[in-house]
Amino acid sequence: MSGIRVVEVAAWTYVPVAGAILTEWGADVLKIEHPESGDPQRGLVTSGLIPAGAVNHMFELPNRGKRSVALDLKSDQGRELLMKLVETADVFLTNFRPSARKKLGIDVEDVRAHNDKIIYVRGSAAGQAGPESERGGYDMSSFWSRSGAADNVSPEALGYPVNMPGPAFGDVLGGLTIAGAISSALFHRERTGEATVVDSSLLALGAWAMGPTIAGAHAFNLEGYPKTTPDKAPNPLVNTYGTKDGRHITIVMLESDRFWPELMTVLESPELITDPRFDSHAKRAQNNVECVAAIAAGFARKTLEEWKIALKDINGVWAPVQRPREMVTDPQVEANSYIADLEDSAGTAFKLVSAPVQFDEQPGDVRRAPDHGEHTDEVLQELGLTMDEILEYKISGAVL
């Protein structure tokens, strides 16, 4: 992406993550922020979501590597400067709603009037058409809840739908989707000379993620998708089991006839290999509750660390159920440079997960997020403005 410039008028996580990924791939991403308020996510420290005095990791994640340019788009001067930047850009990236884009004069036709070859990219909660095109949304609402994901992963006995696995779970997936779409649009423009309008939404992402389940529910006319608990897994070799120390291991051995003897050997229960209740996939499915109990008893004999050693060389697929912080020291994560070591502008060290794509076996160029308006002067000077001219804009309040 070296040589590609992105002008981003967006806030929070979902769409800005796309810009962040593009910076890792070499693009110059200009994050446009209001001179006074900036991206609302900068203020999360005051709401207790970021430890006081610590790195604002929730801002760093979707804004890594960008340059911050503080412009007041409600002012004529601020909008004029924005359009000068648009003239130099390849991509315009936004998550503003249709009415806000129209009010600020940054809709497709406004931007294309200054650069007819720019790729215009919109991310939204529920799409640009339909009765809810003006409604906002977050990943927990539009991606997680509305798509059926929350319902599908929640055990009936729980009595309520579970939350997402963590903050911005759907946002970061959606940003990756948009970054890929931008790459395709740039390739299309290079081949044809045509600039496209790219659209994605959290609702579309949720539908895509739940695609097999949605198709199956429709095909079988199911109001609710069948749910199981670990003690009643239909295929006992695709399940999660507890260890002696209260941790868990997940096994995914879809070809159960192939892996049954190996699993029973490592569980030190060789007598179960030929047990008439369990000696075929069909019988294990028929006697699944008893089979699950037998496997569970085997895993309960050792701790997680002991199982990591015992299972190390088996052919069947398994994984420890890790806690998020354990990912930082996971040997595979470290070997592949999946997490980067950074410092914020104050010199405070922190870690940030890299984009999940590498080129030529090299991790992306992960850099810290910018301070509010940090690059305003630098970028405006690149447009040819003198410091005296920039100072006049600062005095008027059009820039920071």
Side-chain angles (χ1 to χ4, degrees), residues 279-342:
D279 60 2
S280 71
H281 177 81
K283 290 183 180 179
R284 288 190 291 275
Q286 182 180 354
N287 302 298
N288 63 315
V289 174
E290 294 173 87
C291 188
V292 166
I295 297 173
F299 275 112
R301 296 187 188 115
K302 296 181 180 180
T303 66
L304 178 60
E305 290 304 314
E306 289 172 331
W307 280 122
K308 286 181 179 180
I309 297 171
L311 297 170
K312 182 169 63 72
D313 296 321
I314 70 169
N315 293 310
V317 172
W318 65 277
V321 178
Q322 296 198 134
R323 293 163 180 149
R325 194 172 183 181
E326 290 176 320
M327 281 289 286
V328 175
T329 54
D330 185 307
Q332 277 301 114
V333 171
E334 292 180 326
N336 288 280
S337 301
Y338 289 157
I339 297 180
D341 290 298
L342 302 175

Side-chain angles (χ1 to χ4, degrees), residues 170-248:
D171 289 339
V172 296
L173 299 175
L176 183 64
T177 302
I178 294 172
I182 290 171
S183 303
S184 296
L186 287 168
F187 181 70
H188 177 80
R189 189 184 69 175
E190 181 181 327
R191 286 294 181 90
T192 68
E194 299 172 349
T196 56
V197 175
V198 176
D199 281 306
S200 190
S201 73
L202 288 166
L203 182 60
L205 178 71
W208 173 253
M210 290 293 291
T213 305
I214 292 170
H218 177 72
F220 290 99
N221 195 28
L222 298 171
E223 279 299 314
Y225 216 72
K227 302 176 185 180
T228 62
T229 51
D231 61 320
K232 298 176 182 177
N235 181 353
L237 272 69
V238 179
N239 201 16
T240 298
Y241 293 97
T243 61
K244 184 178 180 179
D245 54 344
R247 300 297 301 275
H248 291 85

